[in-house]
């Protein structure tokens, strides 16, 4: 089992342990589950409930998780610290792969998952510096900071809820394939930066994207979800 530099106290975490921790962190981050039920964790990790319970006991004994029977698991401060380190590296790599090698956000994340456990702290620091110390990854999820800030839930709002002049990173859009294709062609795919320019009386929105200005109907503006970017 591969070892990682991400630590809690003096103990080194394994890749498998880190995957459990960041899976819990991402479930909470998405705003859906807290605590995270064991069946959800087992499904996300593609393991049996028995295997998940065994790892949970191990991580709880190390002070990285707490388990509440019939409810689920939460990260301890130490567990959150490990998850923060790994997620930071993962999203830095994903951003690099998306911006500089042209991978889609989902493909970049899949490759970055292979790098997150083996990237030394100094390399992660140089990568962040090279990218301009970004705060958001290519899929609109926050890049955890180095200064001890916990992994937090991303705020998700529809474009229609934005104030004129505000910007956000596209997280997701409608499920309809044709509409999704249109959005991608207009520069509104996942990870794109969008700024609201104006709102019409009918709820339609004029936005600007990396490809230029686009008019969205009221319904489309309501179904296009972004993670707001602080001014």
């Amino acid at each position: 089992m591969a070892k990682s530099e991400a630590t809690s106290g003096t103990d080194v975490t394994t890749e498998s342990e880190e995957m459990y921790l960041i899976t819990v962190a991402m479930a909470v981050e998405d705003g859906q589950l807290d605590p995270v039920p064991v069946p959800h964790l087992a499904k996300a990790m593609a393991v049996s409930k028995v295997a998940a319970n065994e790892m949970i006991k191990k991580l709880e004994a190390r002070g990285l998780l707490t388990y509440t029977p019939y409810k689920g698991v939460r990260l301890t401060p130490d567990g959150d610290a490990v998850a923060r380190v790994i997620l930071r590296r993962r999203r830095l790599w994903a951003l690099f792969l998306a911006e500089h090698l042209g991978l889609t956000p989902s493909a970049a994340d899949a490759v970055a998952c292979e790098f997150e456990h083996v990237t030394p702290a100094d390399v992660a620091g140089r990568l962040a510096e090279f990218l301009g110390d970004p705060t958001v990854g290519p899929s609109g999820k926050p890049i955890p900071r180095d200064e001890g800030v916990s992994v937090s839930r991303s705020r998700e709002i529809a474009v229609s809820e934005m104030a004129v002049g505000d910007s956000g990173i596209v997280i997701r859009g409608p499920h309809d394939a044709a509409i999704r294709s249109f959005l991608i062609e207009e520069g509104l795919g996942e990870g794109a930066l969008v700024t609201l320019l104006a709102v019409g009386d009918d709820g339609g929105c004029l936005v600007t994207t990396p490809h230029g200005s686009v008019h969205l109907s009221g319904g489309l503006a309501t179904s296009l979800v972004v993670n707001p970017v602080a001014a």
Side-chain angles (χ1 to χ4, degrees):
M1 181 66 68
K3 300 289 185 178
S4 168
E5 286 188 347
T7 62
S8 172
T10 58
D11 296 325
V12 176
T13 50
T14 66
E15 179 177 330
S16 179
E17 291 168 343
E18 290 168 1
M19 287 304 301
Y20 273 84
L21 295 175
I22 65 171
T23 299
V24 173
M26 289 188 291
V28 175
E29 178 185 66
D30 289 338
Q32 301 294 323
L33 303 167
D34 188 16
V36 180
V38 174
H40 175 90
L41 184 57
K43 182 178 180 179
M45 291 296 299
V47 300
S48 68
K49 294 179 183 178
V50 172
N53 274 308
E54 290 178 352
M55 179 60 81
I56 288 168
K57 290 178 181 178
K58 180 179 180 180
L59 293 172
E60 187 173 35
R62 295 187 57 186
L64 300 174
L65 286 179
T66 59
Y67 170 66
T68 302
Y70 308 109
K71 291 187 178 180
V73 298
R74 286 190 172 98
L75 296 174
T76 64
D78 282 345
D80 182 78
V82 174
R84 184 178 65 248
V85 168
I86 302 304
L87 281 177
R88 175 173 173 77
R89 295 172 184 174
R90 179 176 187 158
R91 288 171 181 168
L92 286 171
W93 277 120
L95 189 62
F96 172 82
L97 293 166
E99 288 192 344
H100 296 277
L101 298 186
L103 275 66
T104 64
S106 59
D109 183 71
V111 175
C113 185
E114 301 296 323
F115 295 165
E116 64 191 11
H117 308 283
V118 296
T119 302
D122 61 333
V123 174
R126 292 184 182 186
L127 181 59
E129 183 178 1
F130 173 79
L131 294 170
D133 198 22
T135 59
V136 181
S139 294
K141 298 296 184 180
I143 297 176
R145 313 304 298 161
D146 269 339
E147 297 82 6
V149 179
S150 296
V151 174
S152 59
R153 297 179 182 180
S154 58
R155 182 184 169 210
E156 299 181 3
I157 64 172
V159 169
S160 58
E161 298 176 274
M162 296 170 64
V164 173
D166 284 355
S167 299
I169 302 294
V170 176
I171 297 175
R172 62 179 180 275
H175 295 297
D176 183 271
I179 296 178
R180 290 176 66 87
S181 178
F182 162 76
L183 292 172
I184 292 172
E185 289 178 0
E186 295 295 333
L188 286 168
E190 292 182 359
L193 177 67
V194 56
T195 300
L196 181 62
L197 299 179
V199 180
D201 294 336
D202 60 354
C205 294
L206 180 64
V207 300
T208 183
T209 78
H211 292 187
S213 298
V214 182
H215 179 269
L216 303 175
S217 66
L220 190 52
T222 299
S223 61
L224 188 62
V225 180
V226 302
N227 181 13
V229 175

